[in-house]
Amino acid sequence: MTSDVGTRDDRVRIRRAAVYDIAATVLLLLSAAVGWSDMLLLVSGSVVPGWALCVALLCAAGVLVGVRAVRFRPGAPRRSLAMGIVRGVAITAAGLSCAAGALDELGAEYYVLHPTGPDGCTAVVRETSFLVLGSGDVYAVGPSHIGWRPSGSWIADDGHRPITAGTYELHWNEREGHGSLSVHGTETDPILSGGVTDVHCGI
């Protein structure tokens, strides 16, 4: 009888430990996916870029791993070889994606444009410059507060940043439910492509 109880307890411990292992691995895979994506999150008017979300998910996975180690110590159930391999790949992918995303953000600035459009649709802009070119991406962020990908972009000469410089116009069409962002350069620093961008949270 004692042996049967002990066996049942071991099985329960293994199942519970597996839940932590699977949850941590899922978070690591999500972290890797977010880090390589172009998404962003808008929280209370502040922009959280993809690389920061990547780091947050990576840290959450680390917390789960730590909780597993503490909760099932001593004699924590060992992970399967397959789970160990998947975990290793996921950790590597998440770490690389977070690092790559953070490097890509060097020199980038985010702006939440006003006014907002229909149903709270918000235009969020990411501007950066490299060598002699400036570039920008505009996101349409709706009620979910998530910008999954840019709805449009532009390139300007000589590192010009139209949002930073204030050389832009944002108009909303309340009836049609979308907006239009127009960016302007200068005589010496023109917009090379993408001067007018649609902002549509319904997409």
Side-chain angles (χ1 to χ4, degrees):
M1 179 67 68
T2 303
S3 178
D4 290 342
V5 171
T7 301
R8 284 198 299 271
D9 288 343
D10 289 341
R11 287 199 294 264
V12 169
R13 285 168 58 82
I14 290 172
R15 285 197 295 269
R16 289 177 177 175
V19 170
Y20 282 91
D21 290 335
I22 292 171
T25 302
V26 169
L27 287 176
L28 288 170
L29 294 174
L30 283 175
S31 175
V34 168
W36 290 118
S37 74
D38 293 323
M39 71 173 293
L40 57 77
L41 182 65
L42 187 61
V43 181
S44 300
S46 298
V47 178
V48 182
W51 73 268
L53 292 173
C54 177
V55 172
L57 290 169
L58 186 60
C59 291
V63 169
L64 283 181
V65 171
V67 170
R68 180 197 189 278
V70 171
R71 184 170 182 181
F72 295 98
R73 184 180 57 189
R78 298 184 63 181
R79 302 182 186 90
S80 66
L81 177 61
M83 178 61 72
I85 292 173
V86 172
R87 172 73 61 80
V89 171
I91 291 173
T92 301
L96 289 175
S97 65
C98 291
L103 286 174
D104 189 52
E105 287 295 302
L106 292 176
E109 293 182 275
Y110 287 87
Y111 298 89
V112 179
L113 305 187
H114 298 283
T116 57
D119 299 322
C121 186
T122 304
V124 177
V125 170
R126 175 186 183 273
E127 277 194 320
T128 188
S129 59
F130 181 71
L131 298 178
V132 296
L133 294 177
S135 63
D137 298 305
V138 59
Y139 292 78
V141 181
S144 68
H145 301 283
I146 299 175
W148 294 105
R149 65 186 185 279
S151 61
S153 59
W154 64 85
I155 297 177
D157 193 19
D158 202 22
H160 179 62
R161 300 190 182 196
I163 305 301
T164 303
T167 56
Y168 71 93
E169 297 172 356
L170 175 62
H171 299 288
W172 294 98
N173 188 318
E174 296 288 339
R175 185 177 62 183
E176 297 184 7
H178 65 85
S180 177
L181 176 64
S182 301
V183 294
H184 311 287
T186 65
E187 292 184 2
T188 56
D189 306 323
I191 300 297
L192 302 178
S193 66
V196 180
T197 301
D198 186 56
V199 184
H200 198 327
C201 285
I203 298 178

